[in-house]
Amino acid sequence: MPDLSQEFTKREALMHALATEFASNPTLTRQWLTQVDFGWGPQRILDTSKGIWNPQTYAATLTIVSDPNSEYDDGDHGDSLYRYSYERRPAGQDPQGGSNIKLREAMRLELPIVMLRKVADGRFVPIMPVFVVKEEPEHRRFLLAIDESLRFLPDPAHLTKDQRRYAERVVRQRMHQPEFRARVLTAYEARCAVCVLKKVPLLDAAHITSDSTDDGLPVVTNGLALCKIHHAAYDENILGISPDYVVHINEDVLAEVDGPMLKYGLQQMDRRDLWVPSRGTEKPDRDRLAARFDAFMDAG
């Protein structure tokens, strides 16, 4: 295997730069991704015309784009892997050629790559590091592990009960939760729906119907952009939201006397109108809110 120490260094620096930017923004924009400076001057890190980005100076693929609405059959594969289709080649050309060659090299050289998961036009969530662990030429696709630990499962296609539970948790944390957060924060214009705080590092995407239930889907209408204090208060039924989009604070908490955080952070939010997205398809689902509000009222 060639000496790839410099390439590993560059890839690690890129992932650090992406993580730093993503910590302060709901998504990474296409414009920003065309001029990322991670120590070697501004560089484009995605292909503007296709999903696989193979810079000439790199031994293998650097980034791939995953678009859930594309014509490609990409997506979760089993409980622990992600399938990624070959780049389509013109009729008469080798289907395994083109950009697929360097993605195959990423597998052979065991190099980490970045998956840019598209959540809206020109907006992406970074999933990293991702590893190409298998190729299935008969299906014209690669299989990816979206966490380093998943590379070493003895048989990813046939998991034990404990392995499946672990894999599902990892995939949820590394891919589905960040994507859900990005979609919700984008819909809410990166502000808390209760207090309109606009500090992205302090914002969460809260589920209305818990994601631990079968109906707790990671869709925007099952989400609320909440700052961390109001997210915690919502989870603990200190704060409730009625289906008419009004904030309610637990009566016992309203009667308490304490410092300014209680007064201004919670008590003064009572009966405040919830800030919701302007697009009807992104507003919180009223039936879900009603069921959750019943639980708030029952908690007293």
Side-chain angles (χ1 to χ4, degrees), residues 271-292:
R271 308 295 168 169
R272 182 168 179 158
D273 289 337
L274 193 72
W275 193 96
V276 298
S278 57
R279 295 176 59 181
T281 56
E282 296 177 333
K283 294 180 187 292
D285 183 274
R286 293 182 187 272
D287 291 338
R288 292 180 184 274
L289 286 175
R292 182 67 182 268

Side-chain angles (χ1 to χ4, degrees), residues 40 55 61 70 81 92 110 115 117 133 140 156 207 230 274 282:
W40 289 266
T61 296
S70 78
L81 299 177
E110 300 182 349
M115 177 192 289
R117 179 74 166 169
V133 296
R140 298 190 178 186
H207 286 79
H230 291 136
L274 193 72
E282 296 177 333

Side-chain angles (χ1 to χ4, degrees), residues 184-185 188-199 202-206 208 223-235 238-242 245-250 254 261-277 284 289 292-293 296:
V184 170
L185 264 58
Y188 282 78
E189 299 178 14
R191 69 182 73 192
C192 174
V194 172
C195 67
V196 299
L197 178 72
K198 295 182 180 180
K199 295 295 183 183
L202 300 180
L203 298 180
D204 295 333
I208 301 171
L224 296 164
L226 298 177
C227 69
K228 293 188 181 298
I229 187 170
H230 291 136
H231 186 183
Y234 190 58
D235 284 350
I238 292 172
L239 180 153
I241 298 170
S242 54
Y245 300 153
V246 175
V247 178
H248 300 258
I249 301 299
N250 178 283
L254 287 174
M261 178 57 73
L262 177 66
K263 180 179 179 180
Y264 298 110
L266 289 173
Q267 291 171 335
Q268 289 195 1
M269 298 298 107
D270 190 48
R271 308 295 168 169
R272 182 168 179 158
D273 289 337
L274 193 72
W275 193 96
V276 298
L289 286 175
R292 182 67 182 268
F293 190 65
F296 166 78

Side-chain angles (χ1 to χ4, degrees), residues 6-247:
Q6 177 74 351
E7 180 140 345
F8 272 107
T9 298
K10 286 187 174 183
R11 289 171 186 263
E12 288 177 353
L14 171 61
M15 292 181 196
H16 176 75
L18 295 177
T20 300
E21 179 73 7
F22 188 53
S24 300
N25 296 278
T27 59
L28 303 180
T29 66
R30 181 180 295 278
Q31 180 180 2
W32 186 83
L33 290 166
T34 61
Q35 48 186 357
V36 183
D37 190 343
F38 50 100
W40 289 266
Q43 298 183 39
R44 175 160 59 99
I45 66 156
L46 83 169
D47 196 304
T48 56
S49 61
K50 55 188 177 182
I52 302 174
W53 176 227
N54 296 326
Q56 290 184 354
T57 57
Y58 287 74
T61 296
L62 185 62
T63 69
I64 58 174
V65 171
S66 171
D67 181 354
N69 297 316
S70 78
E71 59 184 344
Y72 286 97
D73 182 31
D74 301 339
D76 292 344
H77 188 77
D79 298 304
S80 63
L81 299 177
Y82 188 88
R83 64 181 183 274
Y84 194 78
S85 299
Y86 282 177
E87 174 197 34
R88 290 198 179 129
R89 305 281 290 145
Q93 295 188 15
D94 181 3
Q96 299 184 43
S99 297
N100 302 312
I101 293 173
K102 277 199 168 182
L103 194 51
R104 187 175 299 111
E105 277 296 280
M107 176 177 64
R108 186 180 72 84
L109 298 173
E110 300 182 349
L111 286 168
I113 64 176
V114 174
M115 177 192 289
L116 297 169
R117 179 74 166 169
K118 184 178 178 181
V119 295
D121 287 343
R123 295 183 176 275
F124 303 87
V125 171
I127 311 297
M128 56 193 182
V130 172
F131 295 87
V132 187
V133 296
K134 187 177 181 181
E135 182 176 7
E136 295 183 334
E138 68 277 16
H139 297 298
R140 298 190 178 186
R141 69 190 181 196
F142 296 94
L143 298 182
L144 315 176
I146 65 169
D147 183 82
E148 188 163 14
S149 64
L150 299 180
R151 298 167 62 195
F152 305 110
L153 291 173
D155 186 357
H158 302 89
L159 303 181
T160 66
K161 183 177 180 180
D162 288 342
Q163 289 171 343
R164 181 174 297 106
R165 186 181 300 113
Y166 172 76
E168 289 174 347
R169 183 172 70 251
V170 170
V171 171
R172 184 168 61 250
Q173 292 173 344
R174 292 295 305 279
M175 185 169 176
H176 299 310
Q177 287 180 352
E179 183 177 343
F180 174 66
R181 180 178 184 270
R183 292 183 186 278
V184 170
L185 264 58
T186 298
Y188 282 78
E189 299 178 14
R191 69 182 73 192
C192 174
V194 172
C195 67
V196 299
L197 178 72
K198 295 182 180 180
K199 295 295 183 183
V200 171
L202 300 180
L203 298 180
D204 295 333
H207 286 79
I208 301 171
T209 304
S210 173
D211 61 348
S212 63
T213 67
D214 291 339
D215 196 32
L217 303 176
V219 294
V220 172
T221 53
N222 187 37
L224 296 164
L226 298 177
C227 69
K228 293 188 181 298
I229 187 170
H230 291 136
H231 186 183
Y234 190 58
D235 284 350
E236 295 298 324
N237 286 321
I238 292 172
L239 180 153
I241 298 170
S242 54
D244 57 351
Y245 300 153
V246 175
V247 178

